Every structure is written in structure tokens, then in C-alpha cells.
Amino acid sequence: MTFLPSLGYGGQVISSLIILIGALLLWLVIRFLIARSVTRVQNGYSVFKKPHFKWAQPALRPFDSARRVQRAETIGGLLSSVAAGTIAIVAILMAIETLGFNIGPILASVGIVGIAIGFGAREVIRDAFLGFFITIEDQYGIGDTIEVGDTVGVVQSLGLRITRMIDEDGAIWYVRNGDITKVGNRSQGNYVAPPAEPVAAAIPSTIEGTA
């Protein structure tokens, strides 16, 4: 793709620069749109704050605002990273092809490297995907009391790879999202704590008579 074929190789260089500048402008526009959407989500939808829509408002909790902010930031960060990577790869390949190089071997090399990275970082990729779906589906968030395996604690932060929670003893637990196969959210629904076990009857302090 050459915009100025009459200039020869100089036209190819200029065309490559135009492609890269266009990609940069496209990325700035997309980043602006993502940031604007994230800000709107963080501030909440004003339509549901009207008196006529009180029935649509979720139960208010102290961590609702922080939870919404973190979800928006997590999703916005992921979208920004995916958009930046996609635009950069496509723009660089188009610029290289414009300069007259054959990108076939480059694509083959990138594919092989991608497969190698995928095998080496499959656990990280799995954690990130599961963290994304946990965030999208709102399985749990900041301030929720959750049960993961034999650990019960309050969620302090939820990232794409790690969930951090604190138990009743004050210990901080870092759980990889890929290791979470089943989670119980005690803050959702109508969780009722099991009754305390009855205290064993006290042993009499005196012995009636002696043999």
C-alpha cells in the first residue's frame, strides 16, 4: 500500500509513516472512548437514581461504589490493552509491507513465537480470562464475604489474575483466579450462619459421698 508511488522508495517511507500516524490517532480515539465509558460506569447511571426507578436500584452497601469503580477499571484496562496490541500489530505489519518487505515469513515467525508464549504462559492467560469473566458476571466484588475451598474472607481487591481476601484472623490470602473452581458468595442471597454447637455440660464440681 503506497500513497505516493511517484516518489519511489521515499513515497513508501512516507506511506509507512502515514500508516503509523493514522494508527496512533485511531488508538487515541479508542482510548478516549474507553476512558469516557469507564467514567460513566464508575459514576453510575443517572436514570436509575430517579425516584420512579427505585425498584431497579440494587441493595446499597458500603462497598458498592468501590466495587463498581474496580469493575469498570478492570474491564477498561483489558479493552485498552487488547485494542492497543491489535492496532500496533496491524499497523506495524502494514508499514513493513508498504516498505516492500515480504511479511509472510514474519507472520509465520510471529505465529510460532505466539504458540510458544501461549504454552509457557497458559496459566497466566487462564487466570486472566477467568478473572475477566468473574468481573463481567459480577460473581463477587470488593466487600463481599466469599468462601473459596476451606478459606472464608472478605474480598479486598479483584484483579484479572489475583483475588485478594482477608479472613477473620486478619491473614491476607492471594488466590489465583485460575484455581477457583467453585466459590460461595455469602453476601449474595440470604446466607444464614449455622447455629453454634452446644457447649458440653459442665462436670460437677463436687462428688456426692465417698465409698
Side-chain angles (χ1 to χ4, degrees), residues 92-94 96-98 101-108:
I92 291 174
L93 291 178
M94 290 179 62
I96 293 175
E97 184 181 19
T98 302
F101 295 96
N102 184 10
I103 64 173
I106 298 177
L107 292 176

Side-chain angles (χ1 to χ4, degrees), residues 34 38 70-80 132 135-136 160:
I34 293 176
V38 168
Q70 187 173 46
R71 288 184 65 199
E73 289 179 349
T74 301
I75 297 173
L78 179 63
L79 293 177
S80 297
F132 176 74
T135 303
I136 287 292
L160 286 178

Side-chain angles (χ1 to χ4, degrees), residues 13-33:
V13 174
I14 295 175
S15 299
S16 300
L17 292 177
I18 292 175
I19 291 174
L20 295 178
I21 293 174
L24 177 60
L25 294 176
L26 177 61
W27 157 236
L28 292 176
V29 171
I30 292 178
R31 188 178 67 172
F32 170 77
L33 294 176

Side-chain angles (χ1 to χ4, degrees), residues 143-148 151-155 165-168 173:
D144 283 351
T145 300
I146 63 173
E147 181 176 353
V148 180
T151 303
V152 179
V154 178
V155 177
M165 51 191 291
I166 181 171
D167 63 14
E168 60 181 4
W173 293 84

Side-chain angles (χ1 to χ4, degrees), residues 58-186:
L60 298 178
R61 293 178 299 175
F63 293 97
D64 275 346
S65 178
R67 178 174 182 164
R68 184 174 62 248
V69 168
Q70 187 173 46
R71 288 184 65 199
E73 289 179 349
T74 301
I75 297 173
L78 179 63
L79 293 177
S80 297
S81 299
V82 171
T86 302
I87 293 174
I89 292 174
V90 173
I92 291 174
L93 291 178
M94 290 179 62
I96 293 175
E97 184 181 19
T98 302
L99 291 175
F101 295 96
N102 184 10
I103 64 173
I106 298 177
L107 292 176
S109 301
V110 170
I112 295 174
V113 173
I115 293 174
I117 294 177
F119 275 109
R122 60 183 181 275
E123 295 297 334
V124 176
I125 296 174
R126 182 169 179 264
D127 294 340
F129 269 106
L130 291 178
F132 176 74
F133 284 112
I134 289 173
T135 303
I136 287 292
E137 296 170 359
D138 196 21
Q139 297 178 14
Y140 56 84
I142 296 177
D144 283 351
T145 300
I146 63 173
E147 181 176 353
V148 180
D150 56 353
T151 303
V152 179
V154 178
V155 177
Q156 287 190 323
S157 67
L158 170 60
L160 286 178
R161 199 177 70 87
I162 294 291
T163 293
R164 187 178 68 189
M165 51 191 291
I166 181 171
D167 63 14
E168 60 181 4
D169 297 327
I172 303 294
W173 293 84
Y174 297 89
V175 184
R176 288 178 46 217
N177 295 328
D179 293 335
I180 300 176
T181 56
K182 183 172 64 174
V183 58
N185 192 331
R186 295 185 177 183

